[in-house]
Coordinates of all heavy atoms in Angstrom, one line a residue:
H1 N 0.8 -1.2 0.0 CA 0.0 0.0 0.0 C 0.8 1.3 0.0 O 0.6 2.2 -0.8 CB -0.9 0.0 1.2 CG -1.8 1.2 1.3 ND1 -2.8 1.5 0.5 CD2 -1.7 2.3 2.2 CE1 -3.4 2.7 0.9 NE2 -2.7 3.2 1.9
A2 N 1.9 1.3 0.8 CA 2.8 2.4 0.9 C 3.5 2.7 -0.4 O 3.7 3.8 -0.9 CB 3.8 2.2 2.0
A3 N 4.0 1.5 -1.1 CA 4.6 1.7 -2.4 C 3.7 2.2 -3.4 O 4.1 3.0 -4.3 CB 5.2 0.3 -2.8
T4 N 2.5 1.7 -3.5 CA 1.5 2.1 -4.4 C 1.2 3.6 -4.3 O 1.1 4.4 -5.2 CB 0.2 1.3 -4.3 OG1 0.5 -0.1 -4.5 CG2 -0.8 1.7 -5.4
S5 N 1.0 4.0 -3.0 CA 0.7 5.4 -2.7 C 1.8 6.3 -3.1 O 1.6 7.4 -3.7 CB 0.4 5.6 -1.2 OG -0.8 4.9 -0.8
A6 N 3.1 5.9 -2.8 CA 4.2 6.7 -3.2 C 4.3 6.8 -4.7 O 4.7 7.9 -5.2 CB 5.5 6.0 -2.6
E7 N 4.0 5.7 -5.4 CA 4.1 5.7 -6.9 C 3.0 6.7 -7.5 O 3.3 7.5 -8.4 CB 3.9 4.3 -7.4 CG 4.1 4.2 -9.0 CD 5.5 4.4 -9.4 OE1 6.4 4.2 -8.5 OE2 5.7 4.7 -10.5
R8 N 1.8 6.7 -6.9 CA 0.8 7.6 -7.4 C 1.2 9.0 -7.1 O 1.0 9.9 -7.9 CB -0.5 7.2 -6.7 CG -1.2 6.0 -7.3 CD -2.4 5.6 -6.5 NE -3.0 4.4 -7.0 CZ -4.0 3.7 -6.4 NH1 -4.4 4.1 -5.2 NH2 -4.5 2.6 -7.0
L9 N 1.7 9.3 -5.9 CA 2.1 10.6 -5.5 C 3.2 11.1 -6.4 O 3.2 12.3 -6.8 CB 2.5 10.7 -4.0 CG 2.9 12.0 -3.5 CD1 1.8 13.0 -3.5 CD2 3.4 11.9 -2.1
R10 N 4.1 10.2 -6.7 CA 5.2 10.6 -7.6 C 4.7 10.9 -9.0 O 5.2 11.9 -9.7 CB 6.2 9.4 -7.7 CG 7.5 9.8 -8.6 CD 8.3 10.7 -7.9 NE 9.4 11.3 -8.8 CZ 10.3 12.1 -8.4 NH1 10.3 12.6 -7.1 NH2 11.2 12.5 -9.2
G11 N 3.7 10.2 -9.5 CA 3.1 10.5 -10.8 C 2.4 11.8 -10.8 O 2.6 12.6 -11.8
L12 N 1.7 12.2 -9.7 CA 1.1 13.5 -9.7 C 2.1 14.6 -9.6 O 2.0 15.7 -10.2 CB 0.2 13.6 -8.4 CG -1.1 12.7 -8.4 CD1 -1.8 12.7 -7.1 CD2 -2.0 13.2 -9.5
F13 N 3.2 14.3 -8.8 CA 4.3 15.3 -8.7 C 4.9 15.6 -10.0 O 5.1 16.8 -10.4 CB 5.3 14.7 -7.7 CG 6.5 15.5 -7.5 CD1 6.5 16.6 -6.6 CD2 7.7 15.2 -8.1 CE1 7.6 17.4 -6.4 CE2 8.8 16.0 -7.9 CZ 8.8 17.1 -7.1
D14 N 5.2 14.5 -10.8 CA 5.9 14.7 -12.1 C 5.0 15.3 -13.1 O 5.4 16.0 -14.0 CB 6.4 13.3 -12.6 CG 7.6 12.8 -11.8 OD1 8.2 13.7 -11.1 OD2 7.8 11.6 -11.8
A15 N 3.6 15.0 -13.0 CA 2.7 15.5 -14.1 C 2.2 16.9 -13.7 O 1.6 17.5 -14.6 CB 1.5 14.6 -14.2
S16 N 2.5 17.5 -12.6 CA 2.0 18.8 -12.2 C 2.5 19.8 -13.2 O 3.7 19.9 -13.5 CB 2.4 19.1 -10.8 OG 2.0 20.5 -10.5
V17 N 1.6 20.8 -13.6 CA 2.0 21.8 -14.5 C 2.6 23.0 -13.7 O 3.2 23.9 -14.3 CB 0.8 22.4 -15.3 CG1 0.4 21.3 -16.3 CG2 -0.3 22.9 -14.5
D18 N 2.5 23.0 -12.4 CA 3.1 24.0 -11.6 C 4.4 23.5 -10.9 O 4.5 22.3 -10.6 CB 2.1 24.4 -10.4 CG 0.8 25.0 -10.9 OD1 0.9 25.8 -11.8 OD2 -0.3 24.6 -10.4
P19 N 5.3 24.4 -10.7 CA 6.6 23.9 -10.0 C 6.3 23.5 -8.6 O 5.5 24.1 -7.9 CB 7.4 25.2 -10.0 CG 6.8 26.1 -11.1 CD 5.4 25.8 -11.1
V20 N 6.8 22.3 -8.3 CA 6.6 21.8 -6.9 C 8.0 21.4 -6.4 O 8.7 20.6 -7.0 CB 5.7 20.5 -6.9 CG1 5.6 20.0 -5.5 CG2 4.4 20.8 -7.5
I21 N 8.3 22.0 -5.3 CA 9.7 21.8 -4.6 C 9.4 21.4 -3.2 O 8.6 22.0 -2.5 CB 10.5 23.1 -4.7 CG1 10.7 23.6 -6.1 CG2 11.9 22.8 -4.1 CD1 11.2 25.0 -6.2
T22 N 10.1 20.3 -2.8 CA 9.9 19.9 -1.3 C 11.3 20.1 -0.7 O 12.4 19.9 -1.3 CB 9.5 18.5 -1.2 OG1 10.5 17.6 -1.8 CG2 8.1 18.3 -1.8
I23 N 11.3 20.5 0.5 CA 12.6 20.7 1.3 C 12.5 20.1 2.7 O 11.4 19.7 3.1 CB 12.8 22.2 1.5 CG1 11.7 22.9 2.3 CG2 13.0 22.9 0.2 CD1 11.9 24.3 2.7
D24 N 13.6 19.8 3.3 CA 13.6 19.3 4.7 C 13.7 20.4 5.7 O 13.6 21.6 5.3 CB 14.8 18.3 4.8 CG 16.2 19.0 4.7 OD1 16.2 20.3 4.7 OD2 17.2 18.3 4.6
E25 N 13.8 20.1 7.0 CA 13.8 21.1 8.0 C 15.0 22.1 8.0 O 14.9 23.1 8.6 CB 13.7 20.4 9.4 CG 15.0 19.7 9.8 CD 15.1 18.3 9.2 OE1 14.2 17.9 8.4 OE2 16.1 17.6 9.5
R26 N 16.0 21.7 7.2 CA 17.2 22.6 7.1 C 17.0 23.5 5.8 O 17.9 24.3 5.6 CB 18.5 21.8 7.0 CG 18.7 21.0 8.3 CD 19.9 20.1 8.0 NE 19.6 19.1 7.0 CZ 20.5 18.2 6.5 NH1 21.8 18.3 6.8 NH2 20.1 17.4 5.6
G27 N 15.9 23.3 5.1 CA 15.8 24.1 3.8 C 16.5 23.5 2.6 O 16.5 24.1 1.6
L28 N 17.0 22.3 2.7 CA 17.6 21.6 1.6 C 16.6 21.0 0.7 O 15.6 20.4 1.2 CB 18.6 20.6 2.1 CG 19.7 21.0 3.1 CD1 20.7 19.9 3.4 CD2 20.5 22.2 2.5
V29 N 16.8 21.2 -0.6 CA 15.8 20.7 -1.6 C 15.9 19.1 -1.6 O 16.9 18.5 -1.8 CB 16.1 21.2 -3.0 CG1 15.2 20.6 -4.0 CG2 16.0 22.7 -2.9
L30 N 14.7 18.5 -1.5 CA 14.6 17.1 -1.6 C 14.1 16.6 -3.0 O 14.7 15.6 -3.5 CB 13.6 16.6 -0.6 CG 14.0 16.8 0.9 CD1 12.8 16.3 1.8 CD2 15.3 16.1 1.3
T31 N 13.1 17.3 -3.5 CA 12.6 17.0 -4.8 C 12.3 18.2 -5.6 O 12.0 19.3 -5.1 CB 11.3 16.1 -4.7 OG1 10.3 16.9 -4.0 CG2 11.6 14.8 -4.1
F32 N 12.4 18.1 -6.9 CA 12.3 19.2 -7.9 C 11.6 18.7 -9.1 O 12.2 18.0 -9.9 CB 13.8 19.7 -8.2 CG 13.9 21.1 -8.6 CD1 13.7 22.2 -7.8 CD2 14.2 21.3 -10.0 CE1 13.8 23.5 -8.2 CE2 14.4 22.7 -10.4 CZ 14.2 23.7 -9.6
N33 N 10.3 19.0 -9.3 CA 9.6 18.4 -10.4 C 9.9 19.0 -11.7 O 10.6 20.0 -11.9 CB 8.1 18.4 -10.1 CG 7.5 19.7 -10.3 OD1 8.1 20.7 -10.3 ND2 6.1 19.7 -10.6
P34 N 9.5 18.3 -12.8 CA 9.8 18.8 -14.1 C 9.4 20.2 -14.4 O 10.0 21.0 -15.1 CB 9.1 17.8 -15.1 CG 9.0 16.5 -14.3 CD 8.8 17.0 -12.9
A35 N 8.2 20.6 -13.9 CA 7.7 22.0 -14.1 C 8.7 23.0 -13.4 O 9.0 24.1 -13.9 CB 6.3 22.2 -13.5
A36 N 9.2 22.6 -12.3 CA 10.2 23.5 -11.6 C 11.5 23.6 -12.4 O 12.1 24.6 -12.5 CB 10.5 23.0 -10.2
Q37 N 11.9 22.5 -13.0 CA 13.1 22.5 -13.9 C 12.9 23.5 -15.0 O 13.8 24.2 -15.4 CB 13.3 21.1 -14.4 CG 13.6 20.1 -13.3 CD 13.7 18.6 -13.9 OE1 14.2 18.4 -15.0 NE2 13.1 17.7 -13.2
T38 N 11.6 23.5 -15.6 CA 11.4 24.4 -16.7 C 11.4 25.9 -16.3 O 12.0 26.7 -16.9 CB 10.0 24.1 -17.3 OG1 10.0 22.7 -17.8 CG2 9.7 25.0 -18.5

């Protein structure tokens, strides 16, 4: 269930037309989706 949820979330993250950036508590970037790259 966790793997399936993570895969779906990753699909939404990658398909988003808006830039999505996630960071940790130190402000370091964890993920940077394709829209953010653009």
Side-chain angles (χ1 to χ4, degrees):
H1 177 72
T4 303
S5 298
E7 187 68 24
R8 287 175 177 168
L9 183 61
R10 184 70 191 181
L12 292 173
F13 176 81
D14 289 341
S16 173
V17 296
D18 296 317
V20 180
I21 304 166
T22 62
I23 62 175
D24 63 13
E25 70 279 1
R26 296 171 296 170
L28 302 183
V29 176
L30 299 176
T31 57
F32 202 72
N33 78 335
Q37 298 171 41
T38 301

